[in-house]
Amino acid sequence: MANRTINLAVLLESTDGEDGVEDLFAVVQMPSMLPRFIALPATSGERTFVMLEDVIKEHIALLFSDSAVVEAACFRITRNADITLDEDVEDILKEIQKELKNRRKKGDIVRLEIEDKMSHTMQMTLRDWLMLTDEDIYAVDGPIDATCFGELYHLPDCDHLRYAPLAPQIPRDLLGVQDIFQAIAQRDIMLFHPYESFDPVVQFIHQAANDADVFAIKQTLYRVSGNSPIVSALKRAAENGKQVTVILELKARFDEANNIEWAKRLEESGCHVIYGLVELKTHSKIALVVRKEGDRLRRYVHLGTGNYNDTTARIYTDISMFTAREDIGDDATAFFNFLTGCREPSSVPSWKEICTAPHGLKDKFLALIQNEINQSTPEKPGRIIAKMNSLTNKDIIKALYQASNASVQIDLIVRGICCLRPGRPGVSENIRVSSIIGPQLEHSRIFYFQNGGDELLYLSSADWMTRNLENRVEILFPVVQENLKDRLKHILDIHLSDNVNRYILASSGLYRKVRLQGNDMPLASQLYFYEEACRHAAGSHATSIPYIPVTLET
């Protein structure tokens, strides 16, 4: 059974057996080359479709002329997509290529999705045949694999049903800038994607590739686009005689084949390609450019919460920062020396500004939470705001519960999985959890700690997940420039005031959508940020659109 393919389970009665009627079980794989939605004739102005599986069910008897069809229902299996390999091999690239061939049909089955109307008899037949347990079975109310609805997105003459596409704006910190290195040398620069363009990040690498004064470029790559301008610039830099080092993560799930191809091309161009540390995924987002300026070397660093992928940068919300601060430059140099040198993963350098996983980052977060606990009183409670993709780490969750009981006021903005339960008396009554679900995929990781009034703000490539904090190479970096700190606080404030696309997690584990109250004006945070970016690009320097903080339903 191939991974994540739609199949029909068919229960049959056959009269060909020696003992009379015989129950038979068959599987029909859905043809993947055909569309899931088949257009039917319809009256003018209407669009009518039937799903492919329903057509096949309707005519399934044609495939089994000697049997009577008792039932036909859809199902899909999901196999474990992790690649398990011996990294102590001569050529890890070839080893991963070999494992990729096995993954689609040989990974352990970890989930069985079925139509919710499938009979108990059919469910048990599938369960036993696939050697699963009841806990592995998920009944779906509706079509299995809802990504099929993406086919409808591209229907012609339906622009009124689609979100208007965003045209990324010139970042406010780069308005009028011609030389990006000169701009970074003067101050830290923040970019807020996709509202602000990803082009300056591409330009940063392209300008470095062509600049005669640039000696070296070092960069991590986790997921890149199929026709990456970043990779093209790195190749050209190597061809121009610069020292180019790329930490390219071959084990980026579902991007392994793409990254293998890029690794080959980079190596052919003369780049020094490193595949990361043994048994750890390098998930950090950092680029370092070393440039000769007069009689000194200056280091320019880019750090971010998202991948160096120009395609997803138009869909995912991420924040990145350029800086030429010496302490960050020292840390960036040490970081790349650590990853490219013959060191044990536990022998991490002593960082000046950044903090990294798997050694140190979780402890850093726990210390920051504990600091809020130590400074919090009922009269002057501490404050934590954290935005991320998912929250699963038990140690972090326990620390947040302790902070709640110490009167620390905590807001968590978690788009996906959240294993913490907010609002439970005596456990988490001072914790609120929100999730923003809109046209863009929320991907940025922002961490705010009140710190007794001397506020601390950080950006990171890491979520508060065990895999990020204990099994990956991640980076947390501080934002210290006051105008950028104010901007991050503004971003968090707008997210927490969203009353259009925000959902609230109840103590029961269920989410409810925030509703407008009375005369409240609607505020969709993603649309707000885009309009704000457009105003700045047009020359307006207004700091915010007026809004009314929303009062949550009880």
Side-chain angles (χ1 to χ4, degrees):
M1 296 296 300
N3 183 42
R4 300 180 69 190
T5 58
I6 307 295
N7 301 273
L8 282 174
V10 186
L11 200 60
L12 304 166
E13 281 186 357
S14 173
T15 57
D16 287 348
E18 296 179 0
D19 299 326
V21 176
E22 180 183 9
D23 289 336
L24 299 175
F25 173 68
V27 172
V28 177
Q29 184 170 337
M30 294 263 293
S32 59
M33 297 301 293
L34 296 179
R36 285 284 295 279
F37 291 96
I38 299 171
L40 298 178
T43 59
S44 177
E46 291 184 353
R47 301 286 180 89
T48 304
F49 300 88
V50 63
M51 297 199 74
L52 177 62
E53 54 262 42
D54 292 329
V55 174
I56 296 176
K57 284 182 194 176
E58 185 69 20
H59 301 280
I60 195 73
L62 295 175
L63 296 177
F64 303 99
S65 57
D66 295 331
S67 305
V69 176
V70 177
E71 178 183 0
C74 285
F75 74 95
R76 180 174 74 156
I77 64 167
T78 302
R79 294 186 181 274
N80 186 349
D82 280 335
I83 291 178
T84 302
L85 50 86
D86 178 10
E87 296 192 37
D88 187 21
V89 293
E90 185 174 342
D91 192 332
I92 192 172
L93 188 147
K94 288 184 179 179
E95 189 71 14
I96 291 177
Q97 284 180 308
K98 183 176 72 175
E99 288 298 318
L100 283 176
K101 295 177 181 179
N102 296 332
R103 179 167 67 183
R104 193 163 182 263
K105 291 194 175 183
K106 292 188 177 180
D108 291 338
I109 299 173
V110 295
R111 178 176 64 178
L112 169 63
E113 296 170 273
I114 62 170
E115 288 187 43
D116 62 344
K117 295 175 182 170
M118 182 183 285
S119 69
H120 181 72
T121 299
M122 182 79 85
Q123 288 185 40
M124 295 303 99
T125 301
L126 274 173
R127 183 197 66 180
D128 296 342
W129 176 53
L130 297 170
M131 294 184 289
L132 300 174
T133 65
D134 290 341
E135 289 75 21
D136 300 320
I137 301 175
Y138 295 81
V140 178
D141 181 12
I144 292 174
D145 184 13
T147 61
C148 63
F149 287 100
E151 293 179 18
L152 302 181
Y153 177 81
H154 299 287
L155 288 175
D157 305 322
C158 289
D159 288 345
H160 64 290
L161 298 176
R162 286 186 277 264
Y163 288 110
L166 299 186
Q169 302 297 301
I170 299 172
R172 68 174 71 175
D173 289 350
L174 291 173
L175 290 170
V177 168
Q178 300 299 319
D179 187 324
I180 195 164
F181 291 125
Q182 187 179 42
I184 300 169
Q186 295 173 358
R187 66 194 186 282
D188 293 349
I189 292 170
M190 184 178 290
L191 310 178
F192 190 10
H193 315 298
Y195 318 109
E196 295 181 331
S197 175
F198 187 74
D199 287 348
V201 181
V202 177
Q203 178 193 349
F204 178 65
I205 304 300
H206 272 264
Q207 187 170 326
N210 297 319
D211 190 331
D213 292 326
V214 168
F215 283 2
I217 304 172
K218 300 176 186 289
Q219 185 167 7
T220 59
L221 294 178
Y222 190 75
R223 300 188 194 277
V224 293
S225 62
N227 190 25
S228 172
I230 294 277
V231 173
S232 297
L234 293 171
K235 290 166 58 182
R236 187 167 65 255
E239 291 162 357
N240 288 341
K242 305 183 190 307
Q243 181 191 20
V244 180
T245 302
V246 181
I247 315 294
L248 197 154
E249 182 51 73
L250 293 183
K251 302 187 294 292
R253 190 179 302 171
F254 304 123
D255 272 335
E256 298 96 341
N258 189 45
N259 286 1
I260 286 171
E261 185 60 33
W262 285 129
K264 292 177 180 178
R265 295 190 191 182
L266 287 165
E267 288 174 339
E268 289 169 358
S269 299
C271 299
H272 184 203
V273 181
I274 306 294
Y275 300 145
L277 297 176
V278 174
E279 297 181 353
L280 295 173
K281 287 185 180 180
T282 302
H283 191 248
S284 309
K285 328 295 183 186
I286 181 171
L288 167 67
V289 172
V290 182
R291 189 171 188 264
K292 187 176 186 297
E293 297 180 357
D295 59 352
R296 60 169 289 191
L297 291 178
R298 188 158 200 168
R299 290 165 298 191
Y300 295 87
V301 182
H302 176 263
L303 297 142
T305 68
N307 299 304
Y308 288 106
N309 188 317
D310 55 294
T311 300
T312 58
R314 299 178 67 91
I315 305 168
Y316 293 14
T317 73
D318 275 303
I319 300 175
S320 65
M321 186 178 79
F322 290 110
T323 184
R325 283 188 282 127
E326 284 297 320
D327 284 352
I328 293 289
D330 288 342
D331 282 349
T333 299
F335 178 81
F336 283 105
N337 288 344
F338 168 68
L339 286 184
T340 58
C342 297
R343 298 189 183 188
E344 291 295 323
S346 58
S347 60
V348 295
S350 297
W351 309 115
K352 294 181 178 180
E353 293 284 347
I354 70 170
C355 188
T356 60
H359 300 285
L361 184 52
K362 185 170 79 168
D363 290 341
K364 173 74 171 180
F365 280 129
L366 292 174
L368 289 166
I369 296 170
Q370 185 62 49
N371 181 58
E372 290 300 314
I373 294 173
N374 295 342
Q375 299 194 52
S376 181
T377 65
E379 297 75 26
K380 294 184 178 180
R383 185 82 169 104
I384 296 172
I385 308 174
K387 181 180 182 297
M388 67 203 76
N389 290 270
S390 296
L391 169 56
T392 66
N393 186 264
K394 291 181 180 179
D395 294 330
I396 295 289
I397 292 172
K398 289 178 181 178
L400 292 172
Y401 286 157
Q402 292 172 1
S404 174
N405 286 330
S407 301
V408 179
Q409 301 299 303
I410 303 169
D411 272 294
L412 305 175
I413 306 169
V414 186
R415 172 180 56 84
I417 299 167
C418 182
C419 295
L420 176 148
R421 289 291 182 90
R424 292 198 163 184
V427 178
S428 55
E429 50 198 313
N430 290 314
I431 303 177
R432 296 159 295 278
V433 178
S434 301
S435 181
I436 308 290
I437 306 297
Q440 275 63 56
L441 184 142
E442 291 294 337
H443 194 253
S444 57
R445 292 95 168 188
I446 311 171
F447 302 96
Y448 167 90
F449 300 90
Q450 185 172 268
N451 190 35
D454 185 14
E455 298 167 314
L456 301 173
L457 282 116
Y458 298 89
L459 297 171
S460 181
S461 60
D463 296 309
W464 277 350
M465 302 182 74
T466 299
R467 72 181 187 189
N468 295 99
L469 301 177
E470 299 179 11
N471 300 314
R472 291 184 174 184
V473 179
E474 306 274 11
I475 291 181
L476 173 80
F477 58 97
V479 176
V480 298
Q481 196 169 283
E482 286 302 323
N483 69 314
L484 301 188
K485 290 173 68 173
D486 289 342
R487 190 175 179 193
L488 286 180
K489 289 189 290 182
H490 169 68
I491 289 170
L492 292 172
D493 181 41
I494 295 300
H495 276 309
L496 292 173
S497 300
D498 190 315
N499 54 18
V500 175
N501 291 322
R502 186 161 64 104
Y503 293 76
I504 302 297
L505 178 61
S507 59
S508 64
L510 299 177
Y511 286 85
R512 57 179 174 82
K513 193 171 186 179
V514 174
R515 301 294 180 186
L516 290 172
Q517 298 293 305
N519 296 321
D520 283 355
M521 296 293 292
L523 191 154
S525 56
Q526 293 181 350
L527 179 60
Y528 175 100
F529 292 132
Y530 181 58
E531 291 177 345
E532 189 173 57
C534 289
R535 278 203 318 279
H536 280 279
S540 170
H541 296 286
T543 57
S544 65
I545 299 172
Y547 69 94
I548 303 172
V550 65
T551 301
L552 302 183
E553 292 178 344
T554 57

